[in-house]
Amino acid sequence: MVQRTLPEKLSILADAAKYDASCASSGGERRGSRDGKGIGSTTGAGICHAWAPDGRCISLLKVLLTNFCIYDCAYCINRVSSRVERARFSVEEVVSLTLEFYRRNYIEGLFLSSGIIRSPDETMAEMVRVARTLREREHFRGYIHLKTIPDAAPELIAEAGKWADRLSINVELPTEAALTRLAPEKSVKTIHGAMAEVKARGEAAKDRTARGTRAPRFAPAGQSTQMIVGADAATDGEILRRSSSLYNSFALRRVYYSAFSPIPDASRMLPLIQPPLVREHRLYQADWLMRNYGFDASEIAPPAGMLDLQIDPKLAWALAHRGLFPVDVNRAPREMLLRIPGIGPRSVDRILKARRHRTLRYEDLLAIGCVLKHAEPFITLPGWSPRALPDDANLRARFAPAPEQLSLF
């Protein structure tokens, strides 16, 4: 094997990790360093954020332990049949990089994933050793996110949760049929089994004994997953239903959507053209509606349907249900207020609080922070009436981008 320097390994393994989107640090446990020990506390000064070229926040050292892999997933650049440059970190090298990057104010934590070397257990054991060394020997108190290998032994997943803030297990593709076709070594049953294991251990960690003693900590920031969009023929409706099922079954904190990017030396089973990035953006908006606005997946997109790429999903839903509008802002329940375009949960809370004392006028919504440009056709209150706007056949054109001449070449 070619002997590589540490900068060469970092270049290869950081580049190989860029396809993983599930690295947000939201929900991480806050640890202090007031006792004079430790490093990497996220409550102190010195936290910075790094940004990927596509705009994603990745204020973490995001690397693979290795891009060698015994699996042959068609969509993965690191699959065994791929002819990419290979490299492998030792445990000590990842520990050293994490500490040095933190001391240089580059990162606030570590996101560590890996190809599968020799066996899932051996790979998972090395990742756990990285986290344990950082926590026990180096007293690192920053954020650690470990990408869990579904086939690893439950004992290793348990130890990973002891040292990491968040664990994630990728479902990879929206449908079981696509996973079987493009990643034959992986199975939905195994992935769901590992997710259930993480969920059960997370719930057990919240319990207390009869004497009030807390159970050992386990991944306090919960678990997340990632789905590749556009590598198979799954519709947005199917993707959102899968996400809804994962949230309900495994108490996931987040489902991340990663638009498929054509990779070098790609399999013939994959599409030649990547999906538009705006599709990924609309899926995140729809996911947000399911988690924070009370929308059901079937309301946002029918099973065989796709999201409207020109307008956001909430506006698209309102335009498709014009019979429910205009909504009287002074009388509507919270659930209906949340469905008005341009009005978010925080604005709804402010409206409900203000309504206890007086009748709201149009000008009050401006002060509350509502986006009236979007809300006007769908609301009525003193000082504003949409008149015939909700029934206007050209209402969608009011919000959609102006038509553009397509390129002839």
Side-chain angles (χ1 to χ4, degrees):
M1 188 171 64
V2 178
Q3 295 297 316
R4 299 188 186 279
T5 64
L6 190 58
E8 287 173 338
K9 292 181 184 179
L10 183 59
S11 174
I12 293 170
L13 295 173
D15 186 67
K18 69 183 180 184
Y19 298 96
D20 206 318
S22 58
C23 63
S25 62
S26 58
E29 185 181 32
R30 295 188 170 210
R31 305 179 183 84
S33 293
R34 291 181 179 177
D35 57 2
K37 298 178 181 177
I39 184 172
S41 166
T42 54
T43 59
I47 303 303
C48 64
H49 297 275
W51 298 87
D54 58 1
R56 293 171 183 157
C57 176
I58 51 169
S59 55
L60 309 168
L61 172 58
K62 182 180 172 186
V63 291
L64 301 186
L65 186 64
T66 178
N67 65 344
F68 286 99
C69 191
I70 59 175
Y71 288 177
D72 199 29
C73 306
Y75 51 81
C76 182
I77 193 171
N78 302 314
R79 66 189 187 280
V80 67
S81 60
S82 176
R83 290 177 290 183
V84 296
E85 285 187 294
R86 305 282 180 175
R88 178 179 176 180
F89 281 131
S90 68
V91 169
E92 287 301 325
E93 284 173 330
V94 178
V95 170
S96 173
L97 279 171
T98 304
L99 296 175
E100 291 304 317
F101 273 52
Y102 182 79
R103 290 186 176 111
R104 285 169 171 77
N105 210 23
Y106 294 165
I107 61 166
E108 59 180 297
L110 170 68
F111 174 88
L112 185 62
S113 184
S114 181
I116 310 298
I117 41 173
R118 297 197 183 93
S119 72
D121 281 353
E122 186 165 337
T123 308
M124 195 69 223
E126 284 209 22
M127 295 171 68
V128 168
R129 276 201 293 277
V130 170
R132 185 173 62 231
T133 304
L134 281 167
R135 293 288 193 225
E136 281 197 326
R137 193 185 76 192
E138 305 295 342
H139 304 290
F140 182 72
R141 296 177 184 180
Y143 180 83
I144 297 179
H145 181 158
L146 293 183
K147 181 57 63 67
T148 307
I149 299 168
D151 301 290
E155 301 77 32
L156 289 169
I157 294 178
E159 191 172 1
K162 179 179 178 182
W163 307 116
D165 293 277
R166 172 168 285 183
L167 301 178
S168 58
I169 302 167
N170 285 355
V171 295
E172 310 287 6
L173 294 160
T175 65
E176 185 171 1
L179 188 69
T180 303
R181 185 170 65 90
L182 299 177
E185 290 98 345
K186 297 181 178 177
S187 80
V188 169
K189 184 178 179 182
T190 305
I191 292 169
H192 285 184
M195 285 180 164
E197 177 80 18
V198 171
K199 178 189 175 187
R201 290 186 180 277
E203 290 176 344
K206 296 174 185 173
D207 291 340
R208 289 178 181 270
T209 65
R211 295 183 178 181
T213 306
R214 294 183 68 93
R217 72 187 292 279
F218 183 88
Q223 63 171 325
S224 60
T225 191
Q226 174 179 314
M227 224 183 286
I228 300 171
V229 176
D232 66 334
T235 65
D236 292 342
E238 291 175 306
I239 291 171
L240 292 175
R241 274 159 190 73
R242 182 75 194 284
S243 298
S244 178
S245 172
L246 291 170
Y247 281 126
N248 293 330
S249 302
F250 304 110
L252 297 186
R253 294 290 181 91
R254 287 290 302 274
V255 175
Y256 293 88
Y257 306 94
S258 178
F260 166 72
S261 300
I263 54 177
D265 195 24
S267 163
R268 292 182 179 179
M269 292 187 286
L270 296 174
L272 296 175
I273 302 174
Q274 69 182 96
L277 280 178
V278 69
R279 184 183 176 195
E280 178 186 295
H281 179 61
R282 296 297 182 216
L283 283 168
Y284 275 116
Q285 289 179 319
D287 188 280
W288 188 255
L289 292 180
M290 291 195 297
R291 290 186 291 123
N292 297 289
Y293 287 74
F295 279 85
D296 186 77
S298 61
E299 294 180 282
I300 303 171
M306 302 293 284
L307 295 172
D308 190 326
L309 297 184
Q310 292 194 312
I311 57 176
D312 69 74
K314 189 179 179 186
L315 182 57
W317 181 88
L319 290 171
H321 297 82
R322 300 188 195 194
L324 300 175
F325 298 99
V327 168
D328 186 340
V329 174
N330 283 297
R331 295 178 181 275
R334 175 183 174 80
E335 294 74 19
M336 198 59 211
L337 290 174
L338 281 170
R339 302 209 164 206
I340 301 172
I343 299 183
R346 188 172 298 179
S347 295
V348 168
D349 289 341
R350 290 171 180 164
I351 289 171
L352 294 175
K353 187 176 180 181
R355 276 190 346 195
R356 296 176 196 155
H357 306 289
R358 60 189 176 85
T359 299
L360 291 174
R361 296 186 57 81
Y362 177 83
E363 300 77 22
D364 295 322
L365 296 188
L366 281 173
I368 283 172
C370 301
V371 183
L372 294 180
K373 177 184 175 184
H374 288 174
E376 280 175 348
F378 307 102
I379 57 172
T380 181
L381 74 169
W384 173 258
S385 171
R387 301 185 180 179
L389 262 180
D391 299 321
D392 186 350
N394 296 317
L395 184 56
R396 185 181 181 281
R398 176 182 172 130
F399 302 103
E404 294 181 0
Q405 173 65 54
L406 296 176
S407 172
L408 300 176
F409 304 98

